[in-house]
Amino acid sequence: MDEKPVLLIVTPHEEDRDVLSRYLKEDYEVLAAKDGNEALATMGSEQVDVAVVALDMPGMDGIELMTVMKHTETMSEIPVLAIANQGDHDSETNAVEMGATDFITKPYHPTVVRHRVRNVLGGHENEWRKALQSAQDQKIMEMQHSMERDYLTGLYNREAFYRKAAELMQTNRDVLYDIVYFDISCFKVINDLFHMETGNVVLNTAGFYFPTVVGDFGICARFEADHFVICIPDDKMDIEQILEGLDKSIQSLGINHNIRFFAGIYHVEDAFLSVDRMCDWAHIALNKIKGSYVTRYAYYDESMWEIMVREQTLVRDMEIGLYEKQFCIYMQAIYDLKHKRVVGAEALVRWLHPTIGTVLPAYFIPLFESNGFIVRLDRYVWEAVCQFIKEQKERFGKVMVPVSVNVSRLNFYNLDLLQYLLGLVEKYGLETWMLKLEITETAYMDEPEKIISVIKEFRAQGFSVLMDDFGSGHSSLSMLKNLPVDVLKLDMSFTHEAGHSHRVNTILKFIMQLSQELGMEVIVEGVETKQQLDVIAELGCKEIQGYYFSRPLPADEFMKVLEEQDEREKASL
Ligand code: C2E
Ligand code: MG
Ligand code: MG
């Protein structure tokens, strides 16, 4: 609907049309016709709210026009203001009989004209204003709705959720609420594997489901992508039931993929804190367990906040750390039990952070694996290790011990990995046997065929390949047969249980036998005590790595260990 009422001026006199139009155009949308026929044509095609009609017109005069209007259904309700010549009482009388509501006479006075037109519209104008008002209200509501809603699911969007949840919690102060943040693990995979539309169906299904969970007591929103958030009274929140119901709705779609929602929960203690922060906390809790096999939900606690802040600091500082050589290489000796000597070492990285102090790999390797930085850090470590091996050659005239480096699984996505390693070996004048490659057990399970073929190429070039953390993950013993590795590094969880559990001893014995048959060496990791050492030795293990013999040492200290060993051995010759 237009903003102003429409007024039609019907008069053959151009100057009258101009004057009246000038006086009225501010309040009305003004149309003009120069005679009765043109007026009828206009009223037939346009919505006209009021007509100002000259009585004296050639052809169809004003009275005739009003007669036709009166008998035409679509025009009969249009109020008419007649333009009479001053003193023409007959015409005035006729006009009134024909239904004109009022007159204006020349010369026109702007205030009088405006006043009369307004009066004539009178009740009509009120109706019109009401209609306009309600149309505007409707439009505002529609706009509001579209501004507050997520276009796909119709749930609230993020901003609306922040507002509505605050309102809800602050008005029902005797109720305790939870903010629950949901997210699908690897939603992108669903979009990639199937089709965007399949992804949308999943989201819409969740979009139908969440309102049934919160009912009239809570609210729900989709923030973006697969992130859904609900605000729900604590006594109505049964997270396991919610996830179960969600699983059922998603499973009913029959998509051939394991689609799993995870949830992070923030229990609201102060309804006046910003909902934005509450959602962040729920999200932090979610990120702790997302992708896990066993846990589907977690409650936020304050330690998570500290962890997140620390992680953000590490990610912020990683580039500068690499540039400023804050990453240092430690070496941990690998001992041969029979000959009682160091036969190898593993390079382990430490971050000497300028403000936090020494940071162990457990705090930054998983982070760098998730953001890809590990590939650059690994290459930095390998290069430093090659330099260390070269120094051994220079100092002892030979390489006393080969050094193992850890090769994060992300490296396997770089097609030039082998060439890169060969290039490094050449650059430092080394041979491939001097640098050993440790690959963690879980990497083998990602894409076994691909990894196996890469490993074969490494070995063909003379690199030894070690399977790290064997037994920690999901490997099966039968998998061993298919793995073309030189050495198994037994995870320390075995070591720590050896001697205490008959079952573990049996498994260890079996692994030793099998690896011998398959021509693989075994290194037992994490030997801390004499007792553990004895049990391990009894089981037939030849090489060990653990605190019992040596902790990881800075590279130059480890070099001293090698020097001492060299001197000892020279002396005993
Ligand atoms: P890993 O490769 O299995 O390395 C052995 C870990 O066990 C080292 O932890 C070592 O300090 C620790 N360890 C050795 N002996 C004992 C013992 O007797 N008892 C106990 N409790 N622990 C022992 P660290 O240095 O903290 O490294 C942890 C993990 O971080 C490594 O496990 C490896 O997976 C990863 N990592 C370390 N350096 C690098 C690196 O340069 N690149 C990559 N990609 N990963 C690395
Ligand atoms: Mg290792
Ligand atoms: Mg290990």
Side-chain angles (χ1 to χ4, degrees):
M1 182 172 288
D2 289 315
E3 275 192 23
K4 301 176 187 172
V6 181
L7 176 137
L8 174 65
I9 301 168
V10 191
T11 168
H13 307 294
E14 195 178 346
E15 63 276 25
D16 284 10
R17 294 198 296 270
D18 288 348
V19 173
L20 290 171
S21 169
R22 201 153 9 97
Y23 292 167
L24 295 165
K25 70 179 179 209
E26 209 168 284
D27 297 323
Y28 305 90
E29 190 191 328
V30 176
L31 306 177
K34 52 182 182 307
D35 57 35
N37 285 324
E38 210 178 295
L40 288 174
T42 306
M43 285 186 283
S45 61
E46 309 260 352
Q47 156 81 35
V48 172
D49 299 299
V50 56
V52 179
V53 177
L55 294 175
D56 187 15
M57 290 193 286
M60 183 191 295
D61 67 17
I63 303 292
E64 281 177 85
L65 173 62
M66 281 160 66
T67 314
V68 177
M69 282 171 68
K70 206 174 169 179
H71 292 97
T72 308
E73 205 185 327
T74 52
M75 302 172 194
S76 60
E77 296 291 314
I78 300 175
V80 175
L81 187 73
I83 304 172
N85 293 323
Q86 234 171 4
D88 182 356
H89 298 299
D90 285 351
S91 303
E92 285 175 15
T93 319
N94 271 340
V96 170
E97 275 170 11
M98 289 318 302
T101 319
D102 204 351
F103 298 91
I104 43 174
T105 44
K106 294 199 233 179
Y108 306 119
H109 187 285
T111 314
V112 174
V113 169
R114 285 191 202 111
H115 186 75
R116 296 250 159 112
V117 174
R118 202 171 313 132
N119 278 351
V120 166
L121 252 177
H124 293 271
E125 192 177 33
N126 283 340
E127 283 303 306
W128 176 85
R129 288 226 174 273
K130 265 190 232 150
L132 176 66
Q133 191 67 46
S134 102
Q136 281 174 342
D137 288 351
Q138 176 77 19
K139 208 164 194 169
I140 289 169
M141 269 166 62
E142 278 168 20
M143 290 274 289
Q144 183 127 358
H145 192 267
S146 71
M147 278 164 63
E148 284 183 340
R149 298 290 169 158
D150 159 43
Y151 71 96
L152 185 70
T153 59
L155 301 182
Y156 284 125
N157 58 26
R158 184 192 287 272
E159 282 68 30
F161 180 84
Y162 290 165
R163 260 196 331 273
K164 303 272 171 185
E167 255 167 53
L168 180 74
M169 293 189 283
Q170 290 167 14
T171 32
N172 302 301
R173 273 186 246 168
D174 47 339
V175 180
L176 286 173
Y177 285 92
D178 292 325
I179 299 281
V180 192
Y181 204 118
F182 295 87
D183 185 357
I184 302 176
S185 75
C186 303
F187 181 66
K188 208 181 149 295
V189 178
I190 300 166
N191 273 339
D192 290 351
L193 272 184
F194 302 97
H195 204 265
M196 265 276 283
E197 272 139 39
T198 312
N200 285 351
V201 171
V202 172
L203 297 177
N204 268 322
T205 308
F208 278 121
Y209 176 74
F210 286 117
T212 66
V213 170
V214 301
D216 294 335
F217 306 102
I219 54 168
C220 34
R222 183 173 82 115
F223 278 12
E224 68 254 317
D226 55 335
H227 295 201
F228 291 86
V229 183
I230 66 174
C231 173
I232 183 171
D234 185 60
D235 61 358
K236 303 223 164 13
M237 219 278 288
D238 178 342
I239 189 63
E240 293 190 0
Q241 207 182 331
I242 294 175
L243 286 167
E244 199 179 307
L246 191 53
D247 284 349
K248 277 198 190 125
S249 341
I250 304 280
Q251 276 156 17
S252 70
L253 298 172
I255 298 169
N256 187 17
H257 189 79
N258 190 13
I259 299 171
R260 285 154 59 87
F261 268 94
F262 290 82
I265 307 153
Y266 175 70
H267 180 67
V268 181
E269 275 160 11
D270 179 353
F272 287 86
L273 290 178
S274 100
V275 178
D276 179 346
R277 300 289 300 279
M278 297 179 191
C279 293
D280 279 350
W281 289 321
H283 196 193
I284 290 169
L286 167 73
N287 280 337
K288 279 286 130 212
I289 42 107
K290 196 175 154 193
S292 142
Y293 285 98
V294 275
T295 324
R296 297 280 300 275
Y297 61 91
Y299 280 85
Y300 172 81
D301 72 65
E302 264 164 32
S303 67
M304 290 179 178
W305 177 254
E306 286 156 26
I307 292 170
M308 198 203 62
V309 170
R310 191 183 57 212
E311 287 183 353
Q312 281 178 349
T313 310
L314 296 181
V315 169
R316 185 197 63 198
D317 297 345
M318 62 188 190
E319 289 279 355
I320 185 91
L322 195 61
Y323 179 74
E324 290 187 350
K325 298 191 175 11
Q326 293 166 7
F327 292 96
C328 285
I329 316 304
Y330 275 52
M331 299 279 176
Q332 187 176 27
I334 296 168
Y335 271 88
D336 179 324
L337 284 183
K338 189 169 165 210
H339 302 100
K340 299 193 167 35
R341 63 189 300 274
V342 179
V343 288
E346 176 176 7
L348 296 160
V349 69
R350 304 281 178 266
W351 185 353
L352 309 187
H353 190 281
T355 54
I356 305 177
T358 304
V359 190
L360 288 173
Y363 294 102
F364 58 85
I365 299 277
L367 274 184
F368 295 173
E369 281 181 338
S370 64
N371 66 18
F373 190 68
I374 190 67
V375 172
R376 286 174 56 202
L377 179 63
D378 272 356
R379 290 188 172 197
Y380 174 83
V381 172
W382 303 341
E383 180 126 22
V385 166
C386 286
Q387 175 65 33
F388 179 83
I389 301 173
K390 188 179 162 210
E391 280 171 25
Q392 284 190 50
K393 265 177 97 175
E394 288 164 359
R395 213 172 273 216
F396 307 110
K398 63 176 181 186
V399 171
M400 296 280 287
V401 295
V403 181
S404 321
V405 292
N406 289 286
V407 181
S408 164
R409 68 176 87 177
L410 247 64
N411 290 291
F412 292 96
Y413 293 100
N414 284 341
L415 296 176
D416 69 341
L417 177 61
L418 177 62
Q419 285 313 317
Y420 183 83
L421 285 164
L422 287 172
L424 263 188
V425 167
E426 195 186 311
K427 179 174 167 191
Y428 287 88
L430 312 178
E431 290 166 41
T432 46
W433 66 267
M434 300 168 183
L435 188 67
K436 298 188 173 196
L437 309 174
E438 293 196 8
I439 302 168
T440 56
E441 181 194 68
T442 41
Y444 295 86
M445 316 212 312
D446 282 352
E447 287 178 272
E449 271 116 65
K450 186 172 162 204
I451 302 268
I452 286 172
S453 80
V454 177
I455 290 173
K456 282 185 179 154
E457 287 176 34
F458 284 146
R459 295 182 74 210
Q461 292 291 339
F463 287 108
S464 282
V465 176
L466 291 73
M467 186 198 231
D468 206 356
D469 307 331
F470 180 75
S472 65
H474 310 82
S475 55
S476 66
L477 290 177
S478 62
M479 188 176 121
L480 266 184
K481 294 202 194 76
N482 306 321
L483 278 175
V485 297
D486 301 277
V487 181
L488 286 186
K489 293 192 81 174
L490 271 194
D491 192 64
M492 59 184 88
S493 54
F494 280 120
T495 321
H496 297 162
E497 279 197 52
H500 296 296
S501 146
H502 179 68
R503 208 181 119 260
V504 169
N505 280 13
T506 315
I507 296 173
L508 280 176
K509 211 172 198 158
F510 178 73
I511 293 174
M512 302 289 182
Q513 279 168 4
L514 190 65
S515 53
Q516 207 167 15
E517 276 170 36
L518 295 169
M520 293 179 200
E521 288 170 30
V522 174
I523 297 177
V524 178
E525 286 194 89
V527 178
E528 292 177 355
T529 64
K530 174 84 170 68
Q531 193 200 9
Q532 285 167 353
L533 180 69
D534 292 343
V535 178
I536 296 290
E538 178 82 5
L539 289 169
C541 175
K542 297 191 181 69
E543 290 183 6
I544 70 146
Q545 179 181 346
Y547 294 168
Y548 181 73
F549 279 115
S550 172
R551 287 189 172 253
L553 301 172
D556 51 350
E557 279 183 41
F558 181 70
M559 193 66 98
K560 284 196 197 110
V561 171
L562 291 182
E563 268 168 16
E564 283 161 18
Q565 175 163 296
D566 189 43
E567 277 161 25
R568 250 195 335 267
E569 289 180 349
K570 276 187 185 145
S572 71
L573 280 177

